[in-house]
Amino acid sequence: MDAFTIFTGAAGFLSLALEISKILKAYVDGVESAPEEARNLLVEVTALCHALGQLVQFLQKDYEGNFAQTSALVVATDACKDQITNLYKKLKKIEVRSGKVSQLMERLKWPFRKEDYDSTISTIQRFTQTFQFSLTISNW
């Protein structure tokens, strides 16, 4: 797989991750009783966005070559895309929108159980570390 393919995939789900951070920020700022978990998830997603942004820049500008389908970077970007897509689907439910009172009440509910939240945080942290490590070993 060439770097351009990974670049376009990573750039695509970077924009989705940025959208997730906007949803979380609006939730944290707009819901007085927002759980600490929402703030922590916002921090982790923001860190992932930063690492993905750097990875996208690296792949766009400085990397020439191909990756095997089994390379850690290819596997990590594919898995991260799936995680970000699923996270977006869950968080889309709490997105700030105008509407009926019943929709407002539904939006106030935090969409994660403790186990799901812990697993999501751990997975996002691993992806962030993987992307940062990839950049470090590339001296970027």
Side-chain angles (χ1 to χ4, degrees):
M1 178 177 288
D2 65 340
F4 181 75
T5 303
I6 295 175
F7 158 74
T8 56
F13 71 85
L14 170 59
S15 65
L16 194 57
L18 289 167
E19 186 64 28
I20 289 170
S21 65
K22 289 178 190 175
I23 292 169
L24 285 168
K25 178 80 169 117
Y27 182 78
V28 166
D29 291 347
V31 177
E32 192 173 310
S33 62
E36 187 64 28
E37 293 171 339
R39 290 172 183 78
N40 293 340
L41 186 56
L42 176 58
V43 167
E44 295 302 332
V45 169
T46 301
L48 177 63
C49 288
H50 179 72
L52 276 172
Q54 288 182 316
L55 180 64
V56 165
Q57 285 180 343
F58 168 72
L59 291 171
Q60 182 182 21
K61 295 178 182 178
D62 293 332
Y63 188 81
E64 295 178 15
N66 291 317
F67 295 93
Q69 283 295 111
T70 56
S71 102
L73 192 55
V74 171
V75 172
T77 54
D78 287 346
C80 187
K81 181 184 94 175
D82 293 343
Q83 180 73 29
I84 292 299
T85 302
N86 291 333
L87 182 58
Y88 178 76
K89 287 176 185 175
K90 278 188 177 182
L91 292 175
K92 187 76 174 147
K93 298 172 188 172
I94 65 168
E95 186 174 25
V96 176
R97 297 183 294 260
S98 60
K100 299 177 183 174
V101 174
S102 62
Q103 290 174 334
L104 178 63
M105 294 306 291
E106 187 63 29
R107 191 188 59 135
L108 295 175
K109 293 180 186 175
W110 180 237
F112 291 96
R113 293 186 326 244
K114 177 76 170 136
E115 304 83 41
D116 292 338
Y117 166 77
D118 290 341
S119 175
T120 299
I121 288 289
S122 176
T123 302
I124 289 173
Q125 288 172 338
R126 280 195 309 272
F127 288 132
T128 301
Q129 291 169 349
T130 299
F131 298 141
Q132 288 173 337
F133 181 70
S134 295
L135 292 165
T136 300
I137 62 172
S138 299
N139 291 322
W140 206 78

